Amino acid sequence: MMTSSPESLASASKGAPLAGVRVLDLTRLLPGPLGAMHLADLGADVIKIEDTGAGDYASPSVRALVNRNKRAIRIDLKHAQGVATLLRLCREADVLVEGFRPGVMQRLGVGYEAVAAVNPRIVYCSISGFGQTGPLCDTPGHDLNYAALAGVADQIGNAAGPALSNLPVADLLGGTMTAVAGILAALFDAARSGRGRHVDIAMADGVLAHAVLPLAGLHQHGSVPPIGHSALTGALACYGYYRTADGRQLAVGALEPKFWNDLCRLLERPDLAPLHRSGDAATEERLRAELAAIFGARPLAHWRGLFHDGTGCVTPVLRIDETLAHPHFRARGMRVAADAAAPPQLGCPIKMTGFEPAVARPAPRAGEHTDEILRQAGLDASAVAALRAAGAID
Ligand SMILES: CC(C)(COP(=O)(O)OP(=O)(O)OC[C@H]1O[C@@H](n2cnc3c(N)ncnc32)[C@H](O)[C@@H]1OP(=O)(O)O)[C@@H](O)C(=O)NCCC(=O)NCCSC(=O)C(=O)O
């Protein structure tokens, strides 16, 4: 599990599946940096590349959580020597990942063709809202725009309309994880073919590709069920959130008869058992009101004690601080920190035999490793000083 103990740091490099893979990470904000951090956690040598001005404008707290285990360099890509410096780094890199608007990298002189010309086996991943092609490709946007156009926002929320989310699903599922999968597939092929590829990840496509349930509803019923009218969005009393006496929430997911029966048994309400998934809206409404009255009569702690965080598929709705203190997630290594005094971070979600990820280093300051990285790339101290004097690096 991810820790920062000296032993685990020593074992971090041992067995790391991406040891020896070098990634140039030009992304900013959340989706790209988090994807590149997953690669870093798996042992890749990830170099965060920022401009010499504002750099990555993610908030400091987000920056700290999505850039650990990376090194950092600042290069001005609007400077000819900065472009030459990046291309030099590209020669020794396996992956480049960027998240600018389509066309930005080409205008800087570091588009896929320019980079592939110096390193044909590089995997070059572009993450954007709408992709490198298509009528919307140049359109700027944010998570809710991608989810909205992808037919996904239409399915998240309740009868009042779509809900905003602090877990931006298009950014993270459509962007972060789709990019990681695309990069790893192209890397696997590059290892055997010697040829890289341009991987084109559109967050809108990435989230749309997972919108199976609304499309299944369309196929089945001839129309997309409005929010609140399908099994997972509120049509069933056995599947939903219920308020507790102390103002907290319980997640009740007793979709299957055996879990519903467990729930009725623990509530000592065998009379409710036959009402499960009645198929009748009025019965569901009555059952929902009954459950709301039951759960609303006692505090969350009571229900946690009764359902043990899962019997009958009944779990508390936890805050992230409670989650990170939960024995299950502690045991799974999902709460990690750079050192005992550092604030907690989220652990690596990818577990595998023979490897334990570690927080080998906290998120770097912009340009923290500029000299080290350039020296490693073969530049001597005077060449680095000349680049700095020219303003191509900082
Ligand atoms: C996030 C954005 C809307 C931000 O828009 P902009 O700030 O206008 O950024 P752009 O990408 O268009 O352009 C970046 C500019 O930085 C310049 N640039 C970049 N790197 C460098 C370096 N190293 N040196 C010098 N200049 C640089 C680049 O030339 C561009 O300059 P000029 O050419 O001179 O302008 C856009 O990047 C975008 O649509 N990206 C794809 C989708 C995405 O990432 N969406 C946000 C998801 S996360 C999120 O926040 C959310 O969901 O919310």
Side-chain angles (χ1 to χ4, degrees):
M1 298 299 160
M2 231 173 178
T3 69
S4 59
S5 68
E7 309 79 64
S8 70
L9 287 184
S11 71
S13 50
K14 262 202 295 168
L18 295 181
V21 171
R22 178 165 296 166
V23 178
L24 305 179
D25 173 17
L26 288 97
T27 64
R28 297 169 171 179
L29 298 172
L30 174 66
L34 181 53
M37 190 180 85
H38 288 325
L39 303 177
D41 282 353
L42 295 172
D45 175 16
V46 179
I47 297 175
K48 183 173 178 66
I49 299 177
E50 292 166 271
D51 58 68
T52 51
D56 183 347
Y57 36 77
S59 72
S61 52
V62 169
R63 182 189 175 99
L65 291 176
V66 297
N67 289 290
R68 68 168 173 248
N69 291 341
K70 302 181 187 178
R71 297 185 291 161
I73 183 171
R74 299 174 87 185
I75 304 176
D76 183 0
L77 293 174
K78 290 189 174 162
H79 194 296
Q81 291 180 52
V83 171
T85 303
L86 178 63
L87 291 175
R88 186 182 186 111
L89 294 179
C90 286
R91 279 192 221 129
E92 299 299 318
D94 302 283
V95 177
L96 180 152
V97 53
E98 61 92 10
F100 301 118
R101 275 193 257 183
V104 165
M105 290 291 276
Q106 286 87 338
R107 284 197 291 281
L108 290 169
V110 289
Y112 175 62
E113 280 71 25
V115 168
V118 300
N119 179 0
R121 58 178 181 78
I122 201 163
V123 170
Y124 186 115
C125 179
S126 297
I127 305 173
S128 63
F130 299 106
Q132 304 299 302
T133 57
L136 291 179
C137 72
D138 291 328
T139 312
H142 292 289
D143 176 76
L144 82 175
N145 306 119
Y146 316 138
L149 277 160
V152 169
D154 171 66
Q155 293 289 301
I156 300 174
N158 56 37
L164 292 169
S165 165
N166 216 10
L167 192 144
V169 68
D171 282 2
L172 300 175
L173 173 63
T176 303
M177 294 314 291
T178 309
V180 168
I183 288 169
L184 293 179
L187 257 184
F188 180 80
D189 183 56
R192 59 186 179 188
S193 70
R195 292 217 56 91
R197 300 168 191 250
H198 188 186
V199 178
D200 171 8
I201 301 297
M203 292 184 261
D205 292 351
V207 72
L208 169 57
H210 294 85
V212 172
L213 297 182
L215 186 59
L218 176 64
H219 289 173
Q220 195 182 342
H221 306 295
S223 62
V224 180
I227 325 179
H229 292 266
S230 58
L232 303 190
T233 66
L236 301 177
C238 66
Y239 194 89
Y241 297 113
Y242 290 91
R243 195 178 166 83
T244 60
D246 51 349
R248 300 295 302 272
Q249 297 277 338
L250 267 184
V252 175
L255 283 174
E256 296 82 358
K258 62 184 175 183
F259 300 131
W260 177 251
N261 290 338
D262 284 344
L263 179 148
C264 295
R265 178 175 47 78
L266 287 173
L267 293 180
E268 299 178 17
R269 290 293 304 270
D271 57 305
L272 298 181
L275 303 182
H276 190 229
R277 303 190 71 163
S278 63
D280 168 57
T283 308
E284 293 296 330
E285 203 45 55
R286 262 203 341 270
L287 183 55
R288 190 175 295 108
E290 188 90 52
L291 290 177
I294 294 169
F295 291 128
R298 304 283 194 112
L300 187 71
H302 171 81
W303 301 118
R304 293 189 74 176
L306 189 66
F307 291 102
H308 301 290
D309 287 359
T311 311
C313 299
V314 178
T315 51
V317 174
L318 296 182
R319 293 186 310 263
I320 192 102
D321 54 321
E322 296 170 317
T323 297
L324 292 182
H326 194 290
H328 176 78
F329 295 107
R330 297 295 285 255
R332 295 284 300 166
M334 289 310 296
R335 182 194 192 281
V336 297
D339 59 58
Q345 300 186 16
L346 304 170
C348 178
I350 303 167
K351 314 284 197 293
M352 60 181 73
T353 52
F355 172 63
E356 287 192 10
V359 184
R361 52 171 107 231
R365 282 177 282 109
E368 184 175 339
H369 306 97
T370 296
D371 288 73
E372 173 188 311
I373 291 164
L374 293 179
R375 297 296 295 272
Q376 217 176 17
L379 297 182
D380 62 20
S382 62
V384 174
L387 282 176
R388 186 163 280 122
I393 61 166
D394 189 19

